Amino acid sequence: MAEGCRCRIVAGNWKMHGARAALEALAAGLAARSAAQAESTPEVVVFPPFPYLSAVNQALGTGEGGGGIAVQLGAQDVSAHPQGAHTGEVSASMLADCGCSHVLVGHSERRASCGETDELVARKFARAVSGSLTPVLCVGETLSERNAGRTAEVVLRQLGAVLERCGADGFRNAALAYEPVWAIGTGQTATPEQAQEVHAILRAAIARADARIAAGLRILYGGSVKGANAAALFAQPDIDGGLVGGASLDPEDFWRIITA
Ligand code: 13P
């Protein structure tokens, strides 16, 4: 199934952790290591909390000038609206203005605690695409859904809402992240085989609409990725990198994942 050239991505979702000085230091350390790294490194993206986007962007800049990779910046959410009277929301153009190239859309924590529906997630995805950001669409089932044998149905429904609104073309400059809810922050990682099975289902769904786009689409796995399990996950044919929560706040372990 996996074909085409897909450069691996390792992304760090910092969620609502840290404070300015600590996140600046984390970013600067990562940028320095990445710049010093020679060839064959994955793309690296970090997703800090909104208030620290500019500070982290600046700290990442200190790593430029080396021969290695530049760490890219992403936001954890984007408004479905382009601008206007939407208190507390942040638009795609504002994110781009702060240096973001990527944005997470539909993270399970937002679906669960902010009531984000598939339809709203699809509108956010479309807004990111039209704002020239790279959306990372997150999908994943809960433990009870998995136990009921509904994993494929759930992830295909979540993906389907976006496909319906944006078509396969919407994924030309996007990534997908399979994040089983039961594996997030629990230390219980999906096995490489469990993750691969779902990644293949997701890629096949895109391929039914456009085989070329599906072949080039990066599908990340997220859910208790650590230095110790990253290599086995990334060795799967349809796993093109990781979306890392807790371990991305640990400079040593995050680096182990990046270089896995
Ligand atoms: P953990 O790596 O802490 O399980 O979090 C995964 C996640 O939600 C990344 O978006």
Side-chain angles (χ1 to χ4, degrees), residues 17-218:
H17 294 297
R20 180 192 298 269
L23 296 181
E24 279 174 343
L26 197 57
L30 181 61
R33 270 183 156 165
S34 300
Q37 177 82 357
E39 79 277 25
S40 118
T41 46
E43 278 183 46
V44 180
V45 191
V46 292
F47 295 85
F50 283 137
Y52 303 133
L53 284 171
S54 291
V56 167
N57 193 34
Q58 224 171 356
L60 291 175
T62 58
E64 278 171 13
I69 39 170
V71 179
Q72 302 174 81
L73 186 71
Q76 297 174 18
D77 185 32
V78 62
S79 176
H81 303 284
Q83 59 170 29
H86 303 287
T87 303
E89 299 221 38
V90 180
S91 72
S93 63
M94 290 171 183
L95 297 179
D97 215 13
C98 291
C100 291
S101 53
H102 292 66
V103 65
L104 299 180
V105 181
H107 192 282
S108 62
E109 287 153 11
R110 295 201 59 81
R111 291 180 191 261
S113 67
C114 306
E116 292 197 4
T117 61
D118 294 339
E119 198 269 327
L120 176 60
V121 169
R123 283 169 45 218
K124 290 184 171 198
F125 186 98
R127 195 58 70 188
V129 169
S130 65
S132 298
L133 295 170
T134 298
V136 180
L137 172 67
C138 304
V139 300
E141 82 288 4
T142 63
L143 186 58
S144 62
E145 288 164 342
R146 171 163 282 265
N147 289 341
R150 295 181 50 218
T151 298
E153 172 208 321
V154 170
V155 298
L156 289 176
R157 188 201 72 223
Q158 292 169 335
L159 173 62
V162 176
L163 276 174
E164 198 178 308
R165 180 170 286 264
C166 302
D169 216 48
F171 287 87
R172 214 174 270 287
N173 178 35
L176 199 50
Y178 169 54
E179 295 207 305
V181 177
W182 49 271
I184 295 178
T186 59
Q188 193 191 344
T189 320
T191 64
E193 295 73 24
Q194 281 174 321
Q196 165 60 26
E197 186 185 3
V198 179
H199 283 229
I201 288 169
L202 291 168
R203 195 179 305 283
I206 306 252
R208 282 193 287 279
D210 190 312
R212 275 185 70 119
I213 288 177
L217 179 70
R218 273 89 64 87

Side-chain angles (χ1 to χ4, degrees), residues 13 15 107 109 179 183-186 222-225 243-246:
N13 177 6
K15 307 194 179 184
H107 192 282
E109 287 153 11
E179 295 207 305
I184 295 178
T186 59
S224 299
V225 176
L243 179 52
V244 185

Side-chain angles (χ1 to χ4, degrees), residues 220-247:
L220 317 185
Y221 168 78
S224 299
V225 176
K226 307 266 181 267
N229 58 29
L233 287 161
F234 298 168
Q236 296 295 318
D238 288 294
I239 300 185
D240 307 308
L243 179 52
V244 185

